């Protein structure tokens, strides 16, 4: 089977409540819980520099970038795959 993962969001302005509200229709459609993690840009940058294991695993695997790019964090891949 396939595995779907929506884990991270980098934002200095969005609240976790806003994210849960936005994800609610997807959770109902998929009949599964989505557990997002929210980082500020500063915290995301710090975790990248420290090579935090969770974030490293997420970025090393396949992902779909919904908006923007990760260039400012020194990450050039757009889809998580070379």
């Amino acid at each position: 089977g396939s595995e779907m993962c929506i884990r991270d969001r980098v934002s200095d302005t969005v609240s976790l409540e806003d994210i849960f509200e936005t994800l609610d229709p997807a959770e109902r459609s998929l009949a599964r819980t989505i557990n997002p993690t929210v980082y500020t840009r500063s915290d995301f940058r710090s975790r990248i520099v420290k090579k935090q294991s969770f974030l490293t695993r997420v970025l090393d695997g396949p992902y779909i970038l919904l908006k923007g790019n990760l260039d400012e964090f020194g990450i050039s891949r757009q889809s998580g795959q070379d």
Side-chain angles (χ1 to χ4, degrees), residues 23-67:
L23 291 176
D24 185 58
E27 285 184 321
R28 282 188 270 139
S29 175
L30 296 168
R32 64 186 295 175
T33 301
I34 300 170
N35 296 303
T37 302
V38 181
Y39 300 110
T40 63
R41 290 181 185 284
S42 174
D43 192 31
F44 187 82
R45 183 176 290 109
S46 173
R47 289 170 185 264
I48 292 294
V49 168
K50 293 177 184 174
K51 298 184 187 279
Q52 193 259 344
S53 64
F54 170 74
L55 201 49
T56 300
R57 284 193 316 271
V58 169
L59 294 173
D60 282 346
Y63 60 87
I64 298 171
L65 193 60
L66 299 177
K67 184 176 181 182

Side-chain angles (χ1 to χ4, degrees), residues 9-26:
R9 171 79 171 116
V10 178
S11 176
D12 291 327
T13 59
V14 71
S15 72
L16 194 54
E17 182 179 322
D18 292 336
I19 291 172
F20 278 118
E21 185 176 306
T22 301
L23 291 176
D24 185 58

